[in-house]
Amino acid sequence: MSTAMPFDAGTTLLSDVTAAVKTAGVTLRDRYTSHARGVSLDEVVAEIHANDDAVLDVLREPLLRARRGSQWAEDELAGGALPPGEWWVVDPAEGNINHVHGMDDWAVTATLVRDNQPVLTVVHLPLTGDTYTAVAGGGARLNDRPLTVSAKTDLGAALIGTGQAKPGEDEHTFRRIGDSVTAMLINGLVVRVSVPATMQLIHVAAGRMDAFWQFSDVRSGLVAGALLVSEAGGTVTDLTGEPWNTGSRDFLAAAPGLHGAALKVLSPTA
């Protein structure tokens, strides 16, 4: 479990947020097809925006009502530190590109961030009905089962993941990704490169994967997984080894027995 200051969610906040996210998940599930939608870039982008708009229509107001005084972080692809206070960082269709291509790696996420630290999160997978939740200081759960990260200590036995944070990253970032994947292929067992980040980070929190890294400060792809992993007993830092927050420029979440080794491999590419 995380050693961060416990967050008092009250008796109903987590249940209210979970209910809102599950309701939004029905909307996204109803829009899903098992075939790809859109051929041209404009058509694909239009499908992505339509998913976002449909889900936000049913998700935004319930979340703002659930936490009086909270604010809404508008741009899901934005990065960097938020102003002081409590902010909802939401991805209405995390893995939207997968959704519109008929794949099943997508979810609805809602995370309450207080002073640049995630303190409560809900990740709902509408196709399976699974719901991952975490509250700072209160542990992480999959449905009703507590989550615990991997006990591995050998990086050579590790299943590790990464991926790009968003389309249109600069060439330098793409080259860093390539260099880091090569380094991990040499030092780890297997490297998965896929999107979105949250769908890999839930596996780290559940002990199915051992580490995940990303060169990114896109908040919406990292805040939910960061809290889930830390509350499941993992270590979450930037690639200098400093504790991660929404202002960090890169990201590493790992089982504690592997974090140091993963950091040593990745630091030269940071």
Side-chain angles (χ1 to χ4, degrees):
M1 184 181 296
S2 169
T3 58
M5 182 70 68
F7 173 67
D8 182 6
T11 57
T12 63
L13 181 59
L14 182 59
S15 60
D16 288 349
V17 175
T18 300
V21 172
K22 285 184 174 180
T23 298
V26 173
T27 297
L28 191 58
R29 186 186 65 207
D30 288 347
R31 297 182 59 80
Y32 176 70
T33 64
S34 58
H35 61 270
R37 307 191 305 280
V39 175
S40 70
L41 177 59
D42 286 346
E43 290 170 343
V44 170
V45 170
E47 291 284 351
I48 287 172
H49 287 165
N51 280 346
D52 284 343
D53 292 344
V55 175
L56 288 174
D57 280 347
V58 298
L59 184 57
R60 177 172 176 146
E61 290 307 318
L63 291 180
L64 290 171
R65 284 198 309 268
R67 188 67 171 177
R68 183 173 297 180
S70 62
Q71 301 176 78
W72 192 266
E74 290 290 348
D75 184 356
E76 70 184 69
L77 293 178
L82 288 160
E86 292 187 345
W87 293 81
W88 288 109
V89 176
V90 170
D91 199 320
E94 170 71 329
N96 212 340
I97 192 69
N98 297 335
H99 185 287
V100 303
H101 282 87
M103 300 178 185
D104 57 10
D105 286 351
W106 48 272
V108 180
T109 77
T111 305
L112 186 64
V113 175
R114 172 188 279 179
D115 297 335
N116 289 301
Q117 293 287 349
V119 293
L120 179 148
T121 194
V122 176
V123 177
H124 180 59
L125 282 57
L127 288 183
T128 65
D130 286 333
T131 304
Y132 294 77
T133 61
V135 176
R141 306 183 76 84
L142 166 55
N143 302 324
D144 293 324
R145 178 173 63 83
L147 295 176
T148 304
V149 296
S150 166
K152 286 182 185 175
T153 58
D154 178 9
L155 190 62
L159 172 57
I160 311 154
T162 191
Q164 70 188 85
K166 59 183 178 181
E169 297 274 17
D170 61 83
E171 182 178 345
H172 176 64
T173 298
F174 288 144
R175 293 191 182 279
R176 291 169 68 204
I177 293 171
D179 290 344
S180 66
V181 168
T182 299
M184 273 299 187
L185 286 168
I186 293 168
N187 289 276
L189 179 62
V190 172
V191 177
R192 297 182 69 202
V193 181
S194 65
V195 295
T198 302
M199 298 301 286
Q200 297 195 67
L201 286 164
I202 60 175
H203 293 312
V204 177
R208 306 182 198 109
M209 288 176 58
D210 305 298
F212 173 86
W213 83 96
Q214 193 171 82
F215 298 110
S216 165
D217 64 352
V218 175
R219 293 186 296 260
S220 65
L222 298 175
V223 287
L227 185 59
L228 284 163
V229 172
S230 62
E231 286 298 322
T235 304
V236 183
T237 69
D238 63 18
L239 291 182
T240 71
E242 292 298 315
W244 181 86
N245 62 58
T246 58
S248 301
R249 65 184 291 266
D250 41 42
F251 180 91
L252 172 63
L258 295 172
H259 180 269
L263 193 62
K264 183 177 180 180
V265 170
L266 293 169
S267 292
T269 67

